[in-house]
Structures are given as C-alpha cells and as structure tokens.
Amino acid sequence: MRTLEEQIEVTAPVGTAWSQLHRVAEYPEFVGGVVHASARGRRHAELEVEFGGERHQVDAELTDHGRGRVMSWETVDGPPLRGTFALRPLDAAHTQVQVRLEYDPEELKESLGGPRGFAQSRAVEEAVRTDLQLFKELCEE
C-alpha cells in the first residue's frame, strides 16, 4: 500500500469546510474522475467514476469522528482505497485541510486502468493536489 498525504489552507471557517465535505452530490465539482455521486443514508456514498474512457461504480463507507474535524472513508467495492480528511481551524476564518490516501497502485491499475508503477503514483499525487485546490475554491466561493 502507498500512503499519500497532502494539505492546503482554506480561507473559510472549519464548519464551512466540514459542510462541504458532506455534500456528496457536489463531489464531481472537486474530485477528479467522479461524474456522479449520491449519498445512501448517512454513511454510504455511491460514486460513478470515469478513468481511461470507462465508467465504474464505486461504493464507499463514510465515518465521522473527531467532533466535526475528521472524516474517513473506505471503498466497499471497486479498488481498495482508504482516505481521511482532517480539518484544523487555524483561526476563525482559516482552516487547514489535510488528506491522507492509502492505495495500491497495481490494484488501482487493474481496477480502473491508467499508467503503471511510478507513473500511476504520480498521477494519483497530481489528482489529489488538483482536487484539494478545487475543494479550496469551492469552500471560498
């Protein structure tokens, strides 16, 4: 398994960022590859993702903890992925958003396609950075 950690500072209160994380239907606006997303109850999300010109269904389980500051997720089917969003208020108007993603590049390649080896890891890193920037912009609107 590979672990990727990235962070970004958002000019928005922690509550705003927390609310945005829970708007599952808006994931296509800031998560690359997600073309449709819907919540199934409070703990599940159904995602339609597109990679390599093909669409795949992915179900994820969401878990909140840390008093509105940490949200973890894990795929239930599809490629084995786990992630955590941790929010830390810097002051009343600024929040640090940290994402941690655990994945196996080879299993990701087998499930969704894309490049092999190092190129796959590089593509995931760039996607996460882009997603964080889009999340920042959405929170700051």
Side-chain angles (χ1 to χ4, degrees):
M1 287 293 252
R2 287 245 166 95
T3 300
L4 170 65
E5 290 186 16
E6 292 288 334
Q7 62 187 23
I8 195 165
E9 184 178 316
V10 175
T11 305
V14 71
T16 299
W18 184 250
S19 293
Q20 187 61 56
L21 279 178
H22 288 80
R23 293 184 190 134
V24 174
E26 293 180 12
Y27 283 9
E29 295 181 41
F30 69 92
V31 181
V34 175
V35 294
H36 179 74
S38 60
R40 262 192 6 214
R42 296 184 71 200
R43 294 179 49 110
H44 291 275
E46 292 180 348
L47 309 173
E48 183 177 347
V49 297
E50 185 173 326
F51 286 97
E54 294 185 27
R55 290 194 177 193
H56 307 270
Q57 291 296 125
V58 176
D59 289 330
E61 182 175 357
L62 310 173
T63 307
D64 291 345
H65 45 93
R67 297 180 187 224
R69 303 253 170 93
V70 179
M71 182 180 88
S72 297
W73 59 270
E74 183 173 350
T75 55
V76 176
D77 64 359
L81 300 166
R82 278 188 298 251
T84 301
F85 289 94
L87 307 179
R88 184 171 68 102
L90 300 173
D91 60 33
H94 298 87
T95 303
Q96 180 185 62
V97 179
Q98 181 179 20
V99 65
R100 177 186 174 104
L101 176 66
E102 296 177 28
Y103 67 101
D104 181 323
E106 288 307 310
E107 288 191 43
L108 200 59
K109 164 76 174 129
E110 289 175 19
S111 297
L112 301 176
R116 290 195 164 282
F118 178 76
Q120 178 76 300
S121 295
R122 185 84 173 142
V124 170
E125 288 174 15
E126 289 183 16
V128 169
R129 287 185 191 116
T130 299
D131 293 350
L132 275 174
Q133 184 60 42
L134 291 171
F135 181 77
K136 172 185 172 73
E137 292 169 12
L138 202 53
C139 287
E140 293 177 351
E141 282 184 354

